[in-house]
Amino acid sequence: MNLGCLGMLAGLGLMYFGGSGVYDYFTVGEKQSITIEELIEGGPSSGWYEITGAEWNEMETLYQQDDETRRYKAENMLVLVRPVGADRNEPVQILLNQNSGEIALKLSTTATLDALVQSTETYMDSVQSSGEPIDAERLQSAIEANDRLAETYAEHERSEPITGRVSTSVPSTWSRAEVLQTSGGQVAENFVTIDPDYEPDFWGSAGMFGGGLVLLIIIGAFSMARTTEEIE
């Protein structure tokens, strides 16, 4: 692929992303204040909001893992967000995008602790049915693991306004079907996501679009001049 083709691709890319940013700026509009109940009652929507009345736990999140290492990915985790005091058994309609290496590491740790607690519960059921003596050391380890789980989750309870862009789209590494499948029924089909890092940038997007356009014009003029020279 020659430099001209690469330049055209770069120009088209700049125009696409810049144009998307400009379009987004005019369609999202000004930031509005809204309660989470109003957002839920209004159904799937888009806009730039400050959302009040919400609560969530940063550890209660949908995540993805690396196919080879099985490590928890720090990017594009989707936290389940509810109105304050809502029933935690009901599917949620709001997901908050979070990127956190700290949370990814803690998810790995809590998964190990939870596995220990679950295996000990199974062990206790078998011991009770068989009448065998209980391994006190194993039971104590499970109790300590359960206490650590409770402490970790308590540290990450949040209840504060959320500012960001609301939309029906999902991060690029997910599809809506994958979100619903991964949630195991914890997320409603008509869910929306919040991007807390959103900031409208008209001039940056317009500059990107203009830069791409100028690049295409320069490449087009150069190509025409070269073709004319060859014909002569």
Side-chain angles (χ1 to χ4, degrees):
M1 185 178 292
N2 59 38
L3 291 177
C5 290
L6 289 174
M8 289 185 65
L9 289 175
L12 289 171
L14 288 171
M15 289 185 66
Y16 172 78
F17 289 109
S20 297
V22 171
Y23 174 80
D24 185 66
Y25 177 85
F26 285 108
T27 54
V28 169
E30 297 293 326
K31 181 169 64 176
Q32 304 175 54
S33 294
I34 189 173
T35 67
I36 189 170
E37 288 89 354
E38 289 172 334
L39 181 61
I40 291 172
E41 290 171 2
S45 59
S46 62
W48 186 24
Y49 297 115
E50 180 185 56
I51 304 161
T52 58
E55 68 177 8
W56 68 98
N57 191 304
E58 294 172 320
M59 299 293 294
E60 192 178 6
T61 183
L62 308 181
Y63 55 83
Q64 296 172 310
Q65 292 175 281
D66 185 274
D67 292 335
E68 296 181 1
T69 64
R70 305 310 299 166
R71 290 182 179 178
Y72 292 77
K73 293 183 179 180
E75 299 79 22
N76 297 332
M77 292 183 282
L78 297 170
V79 188
L80 281 60
V81 181
R82 303 178 177 84
V84 172
D87 185 353
R88 296 215 168 196
N89 292 319
E90 290 293 323
V92 304
Q93 291 178 248
I94 312 294
L95 297 175
L96 174 64
N97 190 19
Q98 77 171 345
N99 300 290
S100 172
E102 177 191 359
I103 297 299
L105 288 173
K106 287 190 176 182
L107 284 171
S108 179
T109 300
T110 55
T112 302
L113 294 173
D114 187 61
L116 173 59
V117 172
Q118 295 298 324
S119 66
T120 303
E121 289 179 353
T122 302
Y123 162 75
M124 291 296 295
D125 290 340
S126 65
V127 166
Q128 289 175 356
S129 61
S130 65
E132 297 177 3
I134 296 175
D135 184 341
E137 185 175 344
R138 180 172 181 176
L139 180 59
Q140 182 60 33
S141 296
I143 292 173
E144 293 174 357
N146 195 58
D147 289 342
R148 286 183 61 191
L149 281 171
E151 290 173 1
T152 301
Y153 275 82
E155 289 174 6
H156 292 280
E157 287 286 349
R158 300 288 183 265
S159 178
E160 57 196 51
I162 307 171
T163 299
R165 181 189 177 185
V166 175
S167 71
T168 56
S169 63
V170 294
S172 59
T173 57
W174 293 88
S175 68
R176 289 187 67 89
E178 288 171 334
V179 171
L180 294 172
Q181 182 179 9
T182 303
S183 75
Q186 292 181 290
V187 176
E189 290 188 2
N190 62 338
F191 71 88
V192 295
T193 61
I194 304 173
D195 177 8
D197 298 322
Y198 173 78
E199 282 290 341
D201 182 11
F202 172 78
W203 293 112
S205 298
M208 187 181 297
F209 179 87
L213 181 60
V214 169
L215 181 58
L216 288 179
I217 291 173
I218 292 173
I219 292 173
F222 178 79
S223 298
M224 288 180 64
R226 186 174 178 181
T227 301
T228 302
E229 182 181 334
E230 290 175 351
I231 292 174
E232 290 178 350

